[in-house]
Amino acid sequence: MKLLLPDSIDLDLRLPDDVHAVRYAIDQPVPAADVDAEALVVWGNAPAQVRDAARRLTRLRWVQTLAAGPDVVMQAGFAPEVVVTAGRGLHDHTVAEHTLALTLAAARRVHLLTRAQIGHRWAGEWGGLQPVHEADSFRTLRGARVLIWGFGGIAATLAPLLAALGAQVTGVARAAGRRHAFDVVAATDLPRMLPHTDVLIMILPAMPDTSRALGPDLLALLPAHAWLVNVGRGSTVDADAVLAAIRAGRLGGAALDVFDTEPLPPDSGLWDEPNVIISPHAAGGRPVGAAQRVAENLAALRAGRPMYDVVR
């Protein structure tokens, strides 16, 4: 059995003697000598490269993407019989950490402090004596009402960190209930929840039913001081509507790690908006436990057992 491994990550794998691992360049078509591979691991590949692999690797049985969101692989056109597994759980800690950083940066106005530092200006308005309680403002996680839309593994790691700093955390998912010791409401309850939200954190995957999930109508329900933090997929948010709401004073700001077009075009109005924090799809990028995931799913495939995080 031939297993193709990407050159974008070092995977320390102990493979059975009859499994032949071959590294391939993620920015080049798979070499003709390796199109007979039965398994393919994807990490950081360009969509065009994955589409080419889907067309040319006709003996493929399994694709493992190390990304939490399998959208690039799912859109590549692999044959229906090819099993696709994703990287759910591999990014929980890294994305949660980055999300916490963005949320704290927004609360403590680190983005404005940085602008002042660049201009050699002492931003006294953000220092010195400050009110303990500020009505209609997001300046602290203490007592902040945080809504996490997309309550999976990343949210389960993030929510206790927010709660430890005093936030009141509620999840949003397809169905309501109690998950990981936090209350979760159904997405249909968003119109009821948004007017009482200080921070909306979005961790939605890119799916047909999540495209522009946050648009003008839902944005209009958020308080004018509220912040949006998006670490899911750029396609889930109407960025133009977000920018318009911030400029009109109907939204406090946005901390965005993902965008429809990446890199974000230089002419985007988001770059120059003072209350927009931009990070370059930096929340993940470190699939912790990737080698173990590949090894376990490979063993399950060969033994005919259920594989982990099958998305197709």
Side-chain angles (χ1 to χ4, degrees), residues 33 38 75 94 181 239 253 261 300:
E38 296 180 63
Q75 296 164 8
T94 53
T261 301

Side-chain angles (χ1 to χ4, degrees), residues 38-219:
E38 296 180 63
L40 172 69
V41 177
V42 172
W43 177 236
N45 306 49
Q49 196 275 346
V50 182
R51 289 194 298 269
D52 178 75
R55 180 178 59 85
R56 296 172 55 236
L57 274 62
T58 57
R59 296 185 58 186
L60 208 59
R61 298 169 55 196
W62 164 50
V63 178
Q64 169 74 64
T65 174
L66 301 181
D71 39 302
V72 170
V73 170
M74 295 298 288
Q75 296 164 8
F78 287 98
E81 64 271 17
V82 176
V83 177
V84 176
T85 54
R88 181 161 56 99
L90 301 181
H91 304 272
D92 290 357
H93 290 279
T94 53
V95 176
E97 183 179 45
H98 195 81
T99 308
L100 180 63
L102 291 177
T103 307
L104 284 171
R108 292 297 179 158
R109 304 301 193 262
V110 174
H111 56 296
L112 299 180
L113 299 178
T114 301
R115 285 173 176 257
Q117 179 180 348
I118 293 172
H120 295 195
R121 184 180 73 84
W122 183 263
E125 67 273 24
W126 302 115
L129 304 181
Q130 300 289 321
V132 176
H133 302 287
E134 290 187 74
D136 301 325
S137 178
F138 172 54
R139 291 293 310 280
T140 176
L141 280 174
R142 179 175 36 83
R145 299 160 298 181
V146 179
L147 199 61
I148 304 179
W149 191 359
F151 208 82
I154 295 171
T157 303
L158 172 66
L161 303 178
L162 296 168
L165 292 174
Q168 303 169 19
V169 181
T170 304
V172 182
R174 294 182 184 275
R178 183 90 174 159
R179 301 184 188 178
H180 309 288
F182 291 91
D183 290 331
V184 175
V185 302
T188 52
D189 281 332
L190 275 169
R192 175 177 64 87
M193 299 296 296
L194 290 177
H196 311 288
T197 296
D198 298 308
V199 185
L200 173 61
I201 296 175
M202 296 188 61
I203 320 178
L204 290 176
M207 305 289 284
D209 61 348
T210 63
S211 179
R212 301 294 188 276
L214 184 67
D217 292 344
L218 290 181
L219 280 167

Side-chain angles (χ1 to χ4, degrees), residues 227-284:
W227 270 71
L228 165 68
V229 179
N230 187 16
V231 294
R233 286 291 184 266
S235 62
T236 65
V237 170
D238 185 336
D240 291 338
V242 169
L243 182 59
I246 294 172
R247 286 176 170 173
R250 293 182 279 104
L251 185 66
L256 307 173
D257 184 58
V258 288
F259 305 88
D260 252 344
T261 301
E262 296 180 356
L264 183 67
D267 60 353
S268 171
L270 294 169
W271 287 112
D272 296 319
E273 188 58 39
N275 278 321
V276 171
I277 300 173
I278 292 173
S279 68
H281 205 139

Side-chain angles (χ1 to χ4, degrees), residues 15-28:
L15 299 172
D17 292 339
D18 59 345
V19 175
H20 177 45
V22 177
R23 284 174 65 87
Y24 72 95
I26 64 169
D27 59 350
Q28 299 291 327

